[in-house]
Amino acid sequence: MGEIVVVEQLSLDGVMQAPGSPDEDTRGDFRYGGWARPYADHVAAATMGKGMGEDGAMLFGRRTYVSLHGFWAGQTDGNPYTEVLNRKTKYVVSRTLAGPLPWQNSVLVTGAAADAVAELKAEVDGALVVLGSGRLVRALAAAGLVDEYVLSIHPLALGAGTRLFGEGAAAHRTMTLADTVTTTTGVIIARYRPVVTG
């Protein structure tokens, strides 16, 4: 049985939209794309790199998969993330994509997201790491399928944008803090595990 680990960059007000670049996701006229870049440092890179190097696979929604493939699949600069992302199995939950998928080691997962991922989780070993993929994360959270959240909480409020725990996410969920790391730029990387009740 696998574990679903959600890895997200968030503002203080819970926004997850377009942390990487201005044109990453402009839905809703979002104009703050790239907000996380000024906060990158060696502490964040080392902390996140540890998780990326572990065994397991990746799990993406369509939009995030297409965006990451567009950037990372063609990288030749020796960045360690490139090798990890190319090597790992990438499960892609989509009702609109058709196989075969273009990025090596990619597997299309079709059907209702929560049901399909619940089946996948029962079949795989290790972590299924979700990057971005907000709509998918909210569906998995609502179904009680997320085992851990690794949240990089940045010291800024955006006031607009898609929030991780927005509409469609689990309405009420208690979590326990498993670990924290603070970067030199004030980002708090916190690992939370949902409390299982009942």
Side-chain angles (χ1 to χ4, degrees), residues 5 7-8 52 58-61 64 68 85 129-134:
V5 178
V7 177
E8 301 289 354
M52 290 286 289
M58 309 297 292
L59 179 64
F60 298 116
T64 300
L68 289 176
L85 286 169
V129 177
V130 186
L131 303 179
S133 308

Side-chain angles (χ1 to χ4, degrees), residues 3 121 143-149 172-176 192-198:
E3 278 205 336
K121 183 177 175 180
L145 292 172
V146 177
D147 298 289
E148 183 171 278
Y149 293 90
H172 181 271
R173 183 65 44 98
T174 302
M175 300 193 197
T176 58
Y192 292 99
R193 295 190 66 88
V195 174
V196 178
T197 58

Side-chain angles (χ1 to χ4, degrees), residues 4-165:
I4 295 177
V5 178
V6 169
V7 177
E8 301 289 354
Q9 297 189 65
L10 300 179
S11 64
L12 285 175
D13 52 343
V15 174
M16 63 175 291
Q17 186 171 353
S21 67
D23 59 349
E24 181 180 353
D25 181 359
T26 58
R27 287 176 295 173
D29 294 323
F30 187 71
R31 58 179 191 230
Y32 304 116
W35 53 267
R37 289 188 140 197
Y39 297 95
D41 75 347
H42 66 283
V43 176
T47 302
M48 301 313 291
K50 282 189 281 188
M52 290 286 289
E54 295 172 0
D55 290 337
M58 309 297 292
L59 179 64
F60 298 116
R62 177 195 56 82
R63 179 181 288 272
T64 300
Y65 173 79
V66 169
S67 175
L68 289 176
H69 172 254
F71 180 80
W72 287 103
Q75 293 297 307
T76 57
D77 61 359
N79 185 312
Y81 290 128
T82 303
E83 191 275 329
V84 169
L85 286 169
N86 284 332
R87 174 180 48 84
K88 285 199 174 198
T89 301
K90 293 165 282 293
Y91 294 100
V92 185
V93 180
S94 175
R95 293 183 181 180
T96 58
L97 290 177
L101 297 175
W103 201 355
Q104 66 193 58
N105 301 317
S106 295
V107 178
L108 183 62
V109 178
T110 59
D115 294 337
V117 173
E119 288 181 23
L120 181 63
K121 183 177 175 180
E123 294 170 2
V124 302
D125 291 322
L128 285 165
V129 177
V130 186
L131 303 179
S133 308
R135 183 179 292 169
L136 174 62
V137 169
R138 285 186 287 280
L140 300 181
L145 292 172
V146 177
D147 298 289
E148 183 171 278
Y149 293 90
V150 179
L151 306 178
S152 293
I153 305 164
H154 292 64
L156 82 161
L158 294 169
T162 302
R163 287 168 170 75
L164 174 62
F165 297 107

